[in-house]
Amino acid sequence: MAVRNGKNGLLEKWRIDEKPVKIDKWDGAAVKNSLDDAAKKVLLEKYGYAENFNLVDGRLLICTISCLFAIVALIWDFLHPFPESKPVLAICVISYFIMMGFLTLYTSYQEKNIFLVSVQKDPAGMDLNHTWQLSSSLKRFDDQYTLRVSLTDGKSKHTREQEITKSVGAFFDGNGTLVMDQFEKCVSKLHNTLATEKKTK
Amino acid sequence: MLSLDFLDDVRRMNKRQLYYQVLNFGMIVSSALMIWKGLMVLTGSESPIVVVLSGSMEPAFHRGDLLFLTNRVEDPIRVGEIVVFRIEGREIPIVHRVLKIHEKENGEIKFLTKGDNNSVDDRGLYKPGQHWLEKKDVVGRARGFVPYIGIVTILMNDYPKFKYAVLFLLGLFVLVHRE
């Protein structure tokens, strides 16, 4: 048993999905990240939506292309020492900074603060897949966390949004451990408000 | 398994997030690399920033000064100017003053250098049999400098273990820390 499950066992020990989330309560970035992750968990596990990775993949692609330009510059300069490599280096450097500009535009205008794009598949199997998007914001040194849920109807392409702003103190205990129950209640309420609105329209 | 709490964030990441962490690290390294190569292209010098390693140019430059170089073809080398050059076979650039120049009609030059604080010229440093330097040995001319900052580079080169430790810790921090 130990031999067969050896590899799986190591992976299981590495993953800590079930361990309660504990972060440094004074680290704003960690607080926002853990709340975002918990919201994602609620939508994906409780409601069973499928995550759509296109937005994240776009960002990963831009970053990968930028690094490729840098690698090409490095290798070319190594093979053809400096003065001869000038034109290639110039092209790579300029392209790299153009890609950086792209990246900034992409994260500011395409991604905005969205950290989850998920699809609610219609159980009937017809083309009516609804898209749920989660975005959030937490200002520096502030404790007010805003969670925005937006539902885009598959048929009418109409988008409705609902948001809630609460102090992060409502979801973390004194040690920095995330109280999942409280947060899940909050996210579910937000989700159900939007879901019922849809049904009554 | 050791309870390395600082790795908790990493253990909760999915494949894409892990890849993004690696990319993040790659982009920081790439940015530094691209700035360096960009400076190389702009200044025309293969080492646009050098650190003065010895006291042979005192009182003009002291050990630990950071020099900014350019290597434009149009700048003629004249006696009395400070040049940074590399001797064939050695990788460390030297910052000294030009003492004598022989110039041909077509612009080719051979020159001799000496450090201000040295008592003899640099012939002893050149390759055996070499008595003059040529334009191809020049890395650039000093155009500006910042005092003292280069001491960090000297320390890192004298204690390579310290350098590797710092780089390792920085790398680890970037890889593990979420934005």
Side-chain angles (χ1 to χ4, degrees):
Chain A
M1 171 117 159
V3 175
R4 184 166 55 97
N5 288 347
K7 206 170 176 185
N8 288 346
L10 203 62
L11 197 63
E12 269 155 29
K13 282 205 201 118
W14 175 256
R15 291 231 167 288
I16 43 170
D17 288 327
E18 301 318 318
K19 186 171 161 192
V21 180
K22 182 171 184 302
I23 44 95
D24 175 9
K25 63 186 175 190
W26 299 117
D27 180 358
V31 167
K32 180 174 183 296
N33 280 330
S34 52
L35 286 176
D36 289 350
D37 286 348
K40 252 205 242 182
K41 234 179 154 178
V42 171
L43 236 62
L44 295 178
E45 286 179 17
K46 184 169 172 193
Y47 295 106
Y49 299 156
E51 187 168 358
N52 177 321
F53 291 108
N54 288 349
L55 210 56
V56 185
D57 283 350
R59 172 161 47 103
L60 291 180
L61 188 68
I62 297 181
C63 291
T64 309
I65 295 181
S66 316
C67 287
L68 280 178
F69 274 121
I71 294 178
V72 164
L74 189 65
I75 298 185
W76 192 272
D77 189 53
F78 182 72
L79 294 175
H80 305 262
F82 179 52
E84 295 88 57
S85 57
K86 218 197 242 193
V88 175
L89 279 187
I91 298 176
C92 285
V93 171
I94 295 178
S95 317
Y96 181 81
F97 287 114
I98 293 181
M99 294 304 303
M100 288 285 107
F102 259 166
L103 183 67
T104 315
L105 288 175
Y106 186 84
T107 43
S108 311
Y109 294 112
Q110 272 288 83
E111 269 195 292
K112 291 176 268 198
N113 282 322
I114 301 172
F115 60 88
L116 176 66
V117 178
S118 60
V119 177
Q120 174 187 13
K121 294 220 184 315
D122 186 12
M126 294 198 284
D127 240 357
L128 302 169
N129 290 336
H130 307 298
T131 313
W132 291 84
Q133 278 183 2
L134 287 180
S135 58
S136 70
S137 55
L138 176 66
K139 286 210 199 55
R140 249 172 99 91
F141 306 129
D142 197 6
D143 72 326
Q144 299 301 315
Y145 174 76
T146 305
L147 180 64
R148 222 165 295 113
V149 185
S150 93
L151 168 61
T152 305
D153 198 280
K155 204 167 172 195
S156 63
K157 301 289 179 231
H158 204 55
T159 306
R160 257 161 318 105
E161 281 191 353
Q162 192 67 258
E163 70 172 47
I164 180 173
T165 305
K166 259 191 147 162
S167 164
V168 298
F171 307 120
F172 286 94
D173 71 10
N175 291 330
T177 311
L178 175 64
V179 181
M180 192 57 175
D181 301 329
Q182 287 285 19
F183 192 59
E184 194 186 315
K185 258 198 277 186
C186 190
V187 178
S188 304
K189 203 169 70 163
L190 211 54
H191 170 273
N192 295 339
T193 323
L194 265 184
T196 48
E197 249 182 48
K198 172 174 57 129
K199 287 207 185 86
T200 54
K201 281 218 161 98
Chain B
M1 193 115 162
L2 302 169
S3 85
L4 298 160
D5 279 341
F6 72 96
L7 283 181
D8 274 358
D9 261 348
V10 182
R11 287 160 91 181
R12 268 187 268 268
M13 288 185 194
N14 62 27
K15 280 190 292 233
R16 278 183 172 75
Q17 287 171 312
L18 281 173
Y19 181 53
Y20 185 62
Q21 291 300 110
V22 176
L23 266 185
N24 220 1
F25 176 74
M27 298 233 292
I28 293 182
V29 174
S30 303
S31 293
L33 188 71
M34 289 288 100
I35 293 179
W36 179 256
K37 299 282 179 214
L39 275 179
M40 275 169 69
V41 171
L42 275 178
T43 61
S45 158
E46 51 175 358
S47 183
I49 302 181
V50 294
V51 176
V52 175
L53 295 173
S54 69
S56 57
M57 279 301 284
E58 290 184 13
F61 298 133
H62 301 264
R63 199 169 124 89
D65 287 349
L66 205 73
L67 296 178
F68 299 99
L69 313 177
T70 64
N71 196 19
R72 303 270 156 66
V73 196
E74 321 81 66
D75 291 336
I77 299 183
R78 296 265 176 268
V79 170
E81 292 191 347
I82 301 177
V83 293
V84 180
F85 58 90
R86 210 176 254 146
I87 297 177
E88 250 179 280
R90 307 249 196 105
E91 58 165 69
I92 304 179
I94 304 176
V95 188
H96 282 169
R97 204 178 290 273
V98 174
L99 214 59
K100 294 185 191 172
I101 298 187
H102 284 305
E103 186 168 350
K104 275 202 217 172
E105 270 168 7
N106 59 10
E108 278 176 37
I109 53 166
K110 288 189 192 225
F111 60 97
L112 177 65
T113 58
K114 176 181 170 297
D116 288 351
N117 212 19
N118 290 348
S119 46
V120 293
D121 61 35
D122 291 340
R123 284 227 168 87
L125 291 172
Y126 298 167
K127 224 172 62 168
Q130 182 187 16
H131 297 295
W132 301 92
L133 289 174
E134 292 168 39
K135 220 148 186 220
K136 66 174 175 56
D137 300 310
V138 173
V139 174
R141 319 268 281 295
R143 293 287 176 224
F145 89 116
V146 184
Y148 308 126
I149 299 211
I151 299 261
V152 179
T153 316
I154 295 181
L155 273 174
M156 303 256 247
N157 276 334
D158 285 346
Y159 304 105
K161 290 206 182 112
F162 176 64
K163 174 166 74 173
Y164 296 138
V166 168
L167 288 179
F168 176 71
L169 287 172
L170 278 178
L172 198 63
F173 178 74
V174 171
L175 280 174
V176 167
H177 189 73
R178 260 180 95 168
E179 285 201 326

